[in-house]
Amino acid sequence: MPTGANKKQKYTYVWVSLIVLIFGVFAVYEITKRLKTGTVIENDRMAGTTSVMPLSYVTSNGKKRAVPSFSFLNQDSVLISNKDYLGKVYVVDFFFTTCPTICPVMSSNLEELQATFKDEGEFGIASFTINPRYDKPSVLKDYAKKYNASNTKWNFLTGNQEEIYDLARTGFYILANEANDAPGGFEHSGMFALVDKQGFIRSRTDSYGNPIIYYRGTITEKQGVNKEGEAQQITVLKEDIKKLLAE
């Protein structure tokens, strides 16, 4: 026969088990309800990931860095300015058509981005030549055809060289120089800049919370990593374009 103490302990276990069961059922009900109504917040679903984080603004002297005013001719000899890109999310690069090194890979990556967002009316690309003396609109038009550029999404821009260099160096802080000892006679960055609908330069942050600022344009998704072990960033650029389009 169980003693009084044993009976009391047995009843205690029963009550504890019953309480745990009730709370468990309630928790499952609440989670199921939130999933059905869409009220589970992102941190519930993907805690600790960077993919749900809003993109950072790139700043200079404490101010959001906006793309400076520009106005250049495109491959169809149409004058295109920064105002034509307001309301669009767009990617910017600096290149030249006779570049024997990184430009073909950069342009192929931009072609991939164009294909990914072909049905997105609020997406665009702006490619500025750093050799405008040679890259006239007719030359750019042939180059645009080579990469299947849509004239509604992708502008190849040419104009005064100093204005283009000033845009690269002080507007985007991107390298652009004439250099006789460089392949093709010019040196420039292989990075892409991402611009939001209001004309501000944006990017995701690194593991320390600092903006990465630019995205590597010289490594393809298929390649994965380059010889230096640097990873491609076209995949994350696609993800971040989608975030800005949704803003």
Side-chain angles (χ1 to χ4, degrees):
M1 294 290 292
T3 66
N6 288 338
K7 285 183 179 180
K8 185 177 181 180
Q9 187 178 36
K10 179 179 178 181
Y11 290 142
T12 300
Y13 288 150
V14 170
W15 278 109
V16 170
S17 299
L18 183 60
I19 292 170
V20 171
L21 178 62
I22 291 171
F23 276 103
V25 171
F26 179 75
V28 170
Y29 169 76
E30 281 297 311
I31 292 173
T32 303
K33 183 176 72 173
R34 292 172 73 193
L35 285 171
K36 286 182 178 179
T37 59
T39 57
V40 176
I41 61 173
E42 295 293 350
N43 284 340
D44 288 334
R45 293 173 178 159
M46 303 180 71
T49 65
T50 57
S51 60
V52 298
M53 296 295 291
L55 297 188
S56 174
Y57 287 90
V58 177
T59 61
S60 295
N61 298 320
K63 296 182 179 180
K64 298 176 185 176
R65 192 191 304 169
V67 176
S69 297
F70 65 80
S71 182
F72 300 108
L73 291 176
N74 74 357
Q75 65 268 34
D76 295 314
S77 296
V78 175
L79 199 63
I80 300 295
S81 76
N82 57 298
K83 293 180 180 178
D84 292 297
Y85 283 96
L86 290 177
K88 293 180 181 289
V89 175
Y90 65 106
V91 177
V92 169
D93 79 316
F94 292 85
F95 82 110
F96 60 108
T97 62
T98 55
C99 172
T101 54
I102 61 176
C103 294
V105 179
M106 294 169 64
S107 296
S108 293
N109 277 330
L110 292 173
E111 182 181 7
E112 168 65 20
L113 292 178
Q114 178 187 242
T116 299
F117 297 99
K118 60 182 172 56
D119 298 322
E120 181 51 69
E122 295 182 340
F123 173 73
I125 303 171
S127 293
F128 298 87
T129 177
I130 60 171
N131 185 15
R133 287 193 297 269
Y134 178 80
D135 289 339
K136 303 301 183 184
S138 59
V139 174
L140 294 177
K141 193 170 185 66
D142 288 340
Y143 190 84
K145 289 178 181 177
K146 181 178 179 180
Y147 291 97
N148 302 302
S150 165
N151 58 6
T152 62
K153 286 192 180 297
W154 192 354
N155 288 296
F156 293 85
L157 299 165
T158 187
N160 179 274
Q161 179 168 300
E162 287 308 310
E163 290 182 11
I164 293 174
Y165 280 25
D166 185 60
L167 178 67
R169 295 167 181 165
T170 65
F172 288 94
Y173 296 9
I174 285 179
L175 174 68
N177 284 317
E178 283 194 78
N180 292 332
D181 56 345
F186 297 86
E187 58 181 4
H188 65 106
S189 170
M191 307 299 278
F192 295 155
L194 179 59
V195 185
D196 69 15
K197 296 176 185 179
Q198 288 73 46
F200 292 104
I201 303 172
R202 304 280 292 276
S203 77
R204 65 174 54 190
T205 56
D206 60 21
S207 59
Y208 299 99
N210 300 312
I212 65 170
I213 305 179
Y214 306 116
Y215 300 78
R216 294 188 192 102
T218 56
I219 312 170
T220 65
E221 286 184 296
K222 184 177 180 180
Q223 183 182 0
V225 296
N226 62 13
K227 295 179 180 179
E228 288 72 38
E230 296 173 320
Q232 62 87 13
Q233 293 182 326
I234 302 305
T235 301
V236 298
L237 178 55
K238 288 179 180 178
E239 293 173 358
D240 292 351
I241 290 169
K242 291 177 182 177
K243 291 180 187 178
L244 293 184
L245 288 170
E247 286 189 348

